[in-house]
Each structure stands twice: as C-alpha cells, then as structure tokens.
Amino acid sequence: MIPMSLAQVAAVTGGKLSETADPQALVTGGVEYDSRKAGPGGLFLAIPGAKADGHDFAAKAHAQGAVATIATRPIDSPAVYVDDAIAALTLLAKHVASVAKARIIGVTGSNGKTSTKDLIGQLCARLGPTVATEANFNNELGHPYTVCRVEPDTEYLVLELAARGLGHITQLCEIAPPTIGVVLNVGISHLDGFGSIETTAKAKSELPRFIGADGSVLLNADDPRVAAMADVTSASVARYGIREDAEIRAADIDPRDGRHAFTLVTPAGAARVELNLWGDHHVYNALAAAGVLWKLGAAPDEIAAGLGEAGRLSERRMDVFTRPDGTVVIDDSYNANPASMGAAVRALGQLPTGGRRIAVLGLMADLQELEEECHRRLGEQARDAGVDEIIAVGDGTQPIIDGADGVTATHVPDQAAAIALLENRLRPGDAVLVKGSRYRTWDVADHLRAKEETDQ
C-alpha cells in the first residue's frame, strides 16, 4: 500500500484510534481481511461473518506484524475504530488511488472479464510494476482490496469491474477512476439483477460514460451493443475485432489445435500472434489486451510476444490438462452463461483427440424466463461443435438433452451421478469438458483433476 501513518488512516476513513494505537506508526503493507495473510506493516480488516468474526483474530494479526486492525467493536490490540469496515476500506482505496501514480485500466463485459484482465495484467507487467485484480475480486470488497495493494512504484493498476445491477460499475469507477476502459461484450447473464439484455448494455456502458475526454476506451467492434457505446463517452475511442474497419483487428486467423494464431493489425503496424490459451474466444480477449497496450505505447512486436507468452492465471477457466490414462480434461467450471458455454463447447470441438469428445454441462443460472431456451440452444451448439456425448447435470438441464438431437445424451440428477457415469464411460484418449454455473460441476472437475498428470 502507499505508506500512511495510523493518524492518516483514521483521518481518511473517519475513524478513531484506540488508546493502544500509535498515531505515527507507519502502514507500509497491504490490507488483509484474512488473518492468515496479515503481515508486517499491514492493516487487518475485521469483518463480522456468518461463520466467523474477524475481530476474534485481531490479536493474531497483530502478532504477525499488522500495525493495527480496522474494527467496528472494541478489541485488545491497536485499532482504528469505524462504523462500517467495508466503507472504511472503500475510503482508504479512494485515497490510495488519488495519490498513486499508476495508470488505471478498467475491464468490463458479460463474459471474459477475468481472462482479459489477466492478459492485460501480464502484458502491463512487461512494461512496469503492475497490480491486477486477483481471480475475480471484482465486487464491493475485492475491488477496494485490490486498489489498496498499489505501492509507490506501481505503474499500472488493472481492475475487473463487475455488476449485477445499474450503478454498480459507476460506484467502482468512483473508487479508482480509470483512464483506459475496455468493454468486451454484452450478453445474457445475471438477468435476475439486470432484467434484460438492454439493461445489461446500459450497465456496461457506465464504464465508457465515466471516462473523460483525457481518457481512452476500447470497444468490441463486432458487438453492436458495445460498438454503440462510442456515442456515450467523451473519451477517445478505438475499436477492436475482426471487422476491416477496426483499429485493432485480427487477420488470417488460424484455429490450429484450439490455441489460435492470427495477425495482429494495429495503427502502428502488424505482428503475428500465437496464443497459448485454448478457445476462439481468446482471440477477442487478446485483441482487447492488445488495444490497451497500443494505447500505452507498446509496439506490435512487443504486444505479440507478450500475448504468446501469456498463460492462464485464474483457476477453473479453460484449464486443459491430461490424465495418466490419456484423457484430456478442459476444466472451465468456474461459472457459465450462454456465451461462455458456447465458447467452451467450440473449444472442445477443436481439441485434437483420438477418442470421443464428452461435455459435462451444468445449469446456467440467473437466466429467468430464458432458461429453457438458452439450455436447449446449448444442446444444439454442442451437437454442431462435434461433441460426441453430453452429460447434463442437475435440475433445469433437461433442455440441453432436448436440443442435442442426434448426440448421445444423458441427464443425471447430481454431480455424484455424473462422476459415476463418467467412470463407466471414459476410455483412454477421450476429451472431457466440465462447465456450469458456480459449484454445479466443481465436484466433477475435482474428481477428474485427482488423476491429473500434465497441463497442456
């Protein structure tokens, strides 16, 4: 974190120091809400939870070197007392962002945010010290937590911006105002919060709306709802995609074995990119990252080299590995919506294998009245991608079976049944995709991973 005295921390957060807290004690480490990660020079954020109260671990955090605890009730170790711990963290993050020298880059979209943020973070790290959102810490806790990791020498701060309703992205932008924004796509997801794809588009447009005339926005030229956001921002706009008129585009795309190659075309020149990431959707993610790096002044050859060396950072996202029996597994089980499911079954269809292609598919949540239609369409997409067998897991997934006409397809009630069926069906050389909304296929992926041998 940007070094601050406890007196400054109290002033920024509107808190009050405990009698045992030294106002001049300097905070130089990060802010942690997991006492196991609290360390020398840091702050511990005590959050009351359903299963445990962070205040009970304040003494442990202090013993590990934390300067003080941000607390909402009396504790026996140095503290900054506040009314609301998350609100205090937010105020602290706003201060850090306001005094840091880092260029702030915001990424949003219905899917692909985490993978694209990971790409941008890896590319920026080649230019200078970089802080990026870990995994998908993109909400009211994870966002300010990430901002507070910025240090005096940090040059780039890459933030994933998520929303489940209108106004959420604006609130995150107000904590750490981006000067470069990326909008990936607008799709069917979180309809329980947005209600419609039109509202989703309005929510995603909050990022380009927020960025001022001195900033830059990268928009997906091939998504009409995203491309239209050029009309709502005063920032300079660059578009990326496969359209001929996109400033950042992919030409001569070669699907190879599912890890695509393409020629990156930019206003500064062209370079050949060979991705090490599985799935055609990563072409768009790579183009978005390339656009950011172009805005930061990187040359096409430098961008292409970085994209070729970039790897998967976040778990359960297109993680391809081979078991000792020769079975290839695609663990993309972290979450799912119609667009990411479509990309995943296409990736399975492109994966080289001498055996069968089997898709274990769980429910796509939060689709409201579109649930049956989207799952039926997924079955059709799997069939069209060349999937040989489908195992649909749990309630609500029967329409996948209905849509996969002509494909061997089985509906099972739960993950245990899916595992049992796989154990009976799998043969050496088969390829298996595991995907579904949160937790709904994790047990299946973990069972397959127990026999993991090598990453692809």
Side-chain angles (χ1 to χ4, degrees), residues 86 89-91 93-95 97 104-109 113 133 136-147 157-179 194 203-204 206-207 210-211:
I86 303 299
L89 178 66
T90 299
L91 291 170
K94 284 185 177 182
H95 171 77
I104 301 176
I105 301 154
V107 182
T108 195
K113 295 185 293 297
T133 305
N136 68 324
F137 283 14
N138 53 24
N139 60 12
E140 65 277 5
L141 173 59
H143 186 80
Y145 168 84
T146 301
V147 176
L157 173 59
V158 186
L159 296 170
E160 179 180 337
L161 309 178
R164 294 186 69 88
L166 293 174
H168 291 178
I169 290 176
T170 297
Q171 291 170 6
L172 297 180
C173 286
E174 288 171 344
I175 295 172
T179 56
F194 292 123
K204 302 305 179 185
E206 291 173 18
L207 175 56
F210 187 92
I211 296 177

Side-chain angles (χ1 to χ4, degrees), residues 9-319:
V9 171
V12 166
T13 60
K16 181 180 179 181
L17 294 178
S18 68
E19 292 182 359
T20 57
D22 177 3
Q24 302 308 312
L26 198 61
V27 177
T28 57
V31 183
E32 298 290 350
Y33 54 88
D34 183 339
S35 62
R36 294 169 294 184
K37 297 181 179 180
L43 284 173
F44 176 56
L45 186 72
I47 303 175
K51 296 182 178 179
D53 187 339
H55 294 84
D56 297 335
F57 301 92
K60 174 187 175 184
H62 182 59
Q64 293 171 182
V67 178
T69 295
I70 297 177
T72 57
R73 65 171 174 80
I75 58 175
D76 293 330
S77 55
V80 180
Y81 291 120
V82 298
D83 293 330
D84 184 306
I86 303 299
L89 178 66
T90 299
L91 291 170
L92 200 58
K94 284 185 177 182
H95 171 77
V96 169
S98 70
V99 300
K101 70 175 184 179
R103 294 285 300 273
I104 301 176
I105 301 154
V107 182
T108 195
S110 293
N111 54 276
K113 295 185 293 297
T114 300
S115 296
T116 304
K117 171 267 302 177
D118 287 345
L119 277 175
I120 296 171
Q122 291 177 78
L123 293 179
C124 284
R126 298 166 69 95
L127 304 180
T130 299
V131 170
T133 305
E134 293 181 351
N136 68 324
F137 283 14
N138 53 24
N139 60 12
E140 65 277 5
L141 173 59
H143 186 80
Y145 168 84
T146 301
V147 176
C148 286
R149 290 172 49 216
V150 168
E151 298 181 349
D153 67 341
T154 302
E155 295 184 24
Y156 306 101
L157 173 59
V158 186
L159 296 170
E160 179 180 337
L161 309 178
R164 294 186 69 88
L166 293 174
H168 291 178
I169 290 176
T170 297
Q171 291 170 6
L172 297 180
C173 286
E174 288 171 344
I175 295 172
T179 56
I180 298 178
V182 181
V183 185
L184 301 173
N185 43 58
V186 174
I188 299 171
S189 64
H190 299 312
L191 292 185
D192 56 332
F194 292 123
S196 69
I197 196 168
E198 290 76 20
T199 304
T200 303
K202 186 176 181 180
K204 302 305 179 185
S205 74
E206 291 173 18
L207 175 56
R209 285 179 188 274
F210 187 92
I211 296 177
D214 58 343
S216 302
V217 172
L218 282 300
L219 300 177
N220 185 343
D222 301 325
D223 186 320
R225 291 183 176 87
V226 175
M229 294 178 192
D231 297 334
V232 304
T233 183
S234 59
S236 66
V237 174
R239 298 178 303 158
Y240 67 89
I242 60 174
R243 292 170 54 99
E244 289 288 336
D245 57 350
E247 289 89 338
I248 309 294
R249 64 185 177 89
D252 304 321
I253 299 173
D254 180 0
R256 299 190 301 173
D257 61 354
R259 291 175 285 195
H260 288 56
F262 61 91
T263 299
L264 170 65
V265 181
T266 80
R272 192 67 179 170
V273 174
E274 295 186 356
L275 294 175
N276 196 35
L277 300 168
W278 293 89
D280 56 10
H281 58 295
H282 280 303
V283 173
Y284 278 93
N285 297 343
L287 288 173
V292 170
L293 269 291
W294 168 65
K295 283 292 185 180
L296 293 175
D301 286 346
E302 186 178 10
I303 298 170
L307 288 172
E309 294 175 11
R312 179 191 57 83
L313 296 183
S314 299
E315 65 178 8
R316 300 186 186 276
R317 291 175 173 86
M318 295 307 294
D319 181 6

